[in-house]
Amino acid sequence: MEVNKFLQRYSAGERAFPQTNLREAELVKVNLSKVDLTAADLRQSRLGRTNLSGACLRKADLSESILWGTDLTKADLKRALLREADLSGAILTKANLKRANLTKAILKGANLSNAKLSEALMWEVDLRPTADYRTNLSHADLSHADLSYANFSMAILYQANLDGAKLCRANLSAGMGLNTDLTEASLQGADLSYANFSGAILSKANLLDADLTGTNFDDADLTEAIMPDGSVYK
């Protein structure tokens, strides 16, 4: 669909555009709140600073799209494809990203507080800070997500749920994981150096070969966790 025609129909009050082809579309700084783009093709589209709050993007393909500072508050992105998408500074507060594919996505400085990311595929995702903001994952549900090789350096993980998550070789250095739930999480070979996991739950977590240099585990629950040397914490 041509972008102008799509915008005209949206301006006229239409909201449902399932399976629409908007590949490589230029939709920067546009108001598309509550639009329904279920299973739409938005690959390589440019959606920087666009308002997509409350939008339905279930199973939409946003691979390699640019979403700098885009407002996706409460957006439904369940099972969406966001491979190599650039979401730097995006607002994803309370967004539904269950089972979404975010492989190699860039989420620098994004706000993912209270987001639902359970079972999401997040291999090599970039969650490092920007010059102005740290990536915020406070209260986010990352249970059973695959975050292998992800870069969480300096990310905020306050009370995040990482129960059963895979974090093999992930970088969580200098991260803030106060009261984070990492029950049975796989952190084998992860870099947790100088991270703050005060009060975190790491019961039965796998920390084999992890770097715990300067890591703060004050009041943390490490019951039956596998420590870097292979011993089991009692």
Side-chain angles (χ1 to χ4, degrees):
M1 183 185 295
E2 293 182 3
V3 173
N4 288 339
K5 184 177 181 180
F6 166 68
L7 292 174
Q8 287 172 2
R9 287 169 61 178
Y10 179 88
S11 296
E14 190 173 346
R15 293 293 179 268
F17 301 91
Q19 299 181 320
T20 298
N21 185 351
L22 287 166
R23 187 173 181 178
E24 298 182 12
E26 185 79 29
L27 291 163
V28 178
K29 296 181 180 180
V30 178
N31 179 20
L32 294 172
S33 63
K34 298 183 179 180
V35 69
D36 183 352
L37 286 163
T38 302
D41 185 353
L42 289 153
R43 285 174 290 172
Q44 300 174 328
S45 57
R46 291 165 291 282
L47 296 152
R49 301 195 182 281
T50 289
N51 182 1
L52 285 163
S53 59
C56 184
L57 290 153
R58 282 196 174 208
K59 297 183 180 180
D61 192 346
L62 290 135
S63 300
E64 299 179 32
S65 58
I66 297 173
L67 296 126
W68 299 336
T70 301
D71 187 351
L72 287 153
T73 303
K74 296 183 179 180
D76 187 351
L77 289 145
K78 187 175 182 179
R79 295 180 181 268
L81 297 176
L82 290 150
R83 292 189 299 260
E84 298 183 51
D86 192 340
L87 291 133
S88 298
I91 304 168
L92 290 144
T93 305
K94 297 183 179 180
N96 182 0
L97 289 146
K98 290 181 179 180
R99 299 187 181 183
N101 188 335
L102 290 141
T103 302
K104 295 185 179 181
I106 300 171
L107 286 154
K108 292 181 179 180
N111 188 346
L112 289 144
S113 59
N114 293 287
K116 299 174 183 176
L117 290 146
S118 56
E119 300 183 66
L121 181 58
M122 300 176 74
W123 267 60
E124 296 184 58
V125 69
D126 190 348
L127 294 152
R128 291 175 296 169
T130 61
D132 299 313
Y133 300 103
R134 295 171 71 172
T135 304
N136 187 356
L137 287 152
S138 58
H139 302 280
D141 181 5
L142 292 146
S143 57
H144 302 286
D146 191 342
L147 293 143
S148 301
Y149 301 94
N151 193 335
F152 285 87
S153 183
M154 298 183 71
I156 300 169
L157 290 156
Y158 178 68
Q159 292 191 344
N161 181 5
L162 286 148
D163 180 10
K166 295 179 182 178
L167 292 140
C168 298
R169 305 292 173 185
N171 181 0
L172 290 95
S173 60
M176 188 179 294
L178 281 73
N179 303 317
T180 299
D181 187 350
L182 287 149
T183 304
E184 297 185 0
S186 177
L187 289 148
Q188 187 169 350
D191 183 358
L192 281 75
S193 56
Y194 303 101
N196 187 352
F197 283 97
S198 178
I201 304 170
L202 290 127
S203 177
K204 297 183 180 180
N206 184 356
L207 293 157
L208 187 66
D209 296 325
D211 185 353
L212 304 181
T213 305
T215 307
N216 181 2
F217 286 121
D218 289 349
D219 299 318
D221 181 1
L222 289 154
T223 305
E224 296 185 46
I226 301 172
M227 302 309 287
D229 60 2
S231 62
V232 179
Y233 190 90
K234 300 294 185 181

